[in-house]
Amino acid sequence: MLTWLSIQGVALVERIELSFDPTLNVLTGETGAGKSLILGSIALLLGERADPDWIRAGEERGFVEGVFDLSGRPDLAEEIRALDVEPEEDRVVIRRELSGDGRTGPW
């Protein structure tokens, strides 16, 4: 489960950090409030293709970072270990960086 999300230098966002509750989370707001940006950032963490146009004007790069809690999901922990990543305290941090040249990565 996603427990924390940080977005920096993406679209109009300079920096934002969000914590998620293990129960119900609802994103609401008027048009233009940033709901799609949050969902798009989560999609980036899950492997969606990035577009260099998403980088905030004036920034060389942007990033999205999320903390996923794997407790109660030994199957996911094993999948992560199969990728040669060892979860710490049943958590894994995923970071996706975007650069102006179109490259993305976990730098």
Side-chain angles (χ1 to χ4, degrees), residues 12-83:
L12 297 175
V13 173
E14 183 176 341
R15 181 180 183 111
I16 187 171
E17 294 183 10
L18 302 166
S19 295
F20 296 96
D21 190 89
T23 57
L24 177 66
N25 294 281
V26 179
L27 296 175
T28 66
E30 295 182 24
T31 301
K35 301 176 297 289
S36 294
L37 172 69
I38 293 169
L39 294 176
S41 297
I42 294 169
L44 282 174
L45 289 178
L46 299 176
E48 185 171 302
R49 174 168 275 204
D51 184 336
D53 291 338
W54 292 351
I55 297 175
R56 185 172 192 246
E59 299 286 338
E60 291 183 24
R61 52 181 66 223
F63 79 84
V64 178
E65 186 173 70
V67 176
F68 291 85
D69 181 0
L70 304 176
S71 61
R73 291 298 307 268
D75 56 324
L76 291 179
E78 285 305 313
E79 292 285 333
I80 296 293
R81 286 186 186 96
L83 298 170

Side-chain angles (χ1 to χ4, degrees), residues 50-53 55 59-62 97-105 107:
D51 184 336
D53 291 338
I55 297 175
E59 299 286 338
E60 291 183 24
R61 52 181 66 223
E97 291 196 20
L98 310 153
S99 68
D101 61 9
R103 294 180 41 205
T104 66
W107 304 288

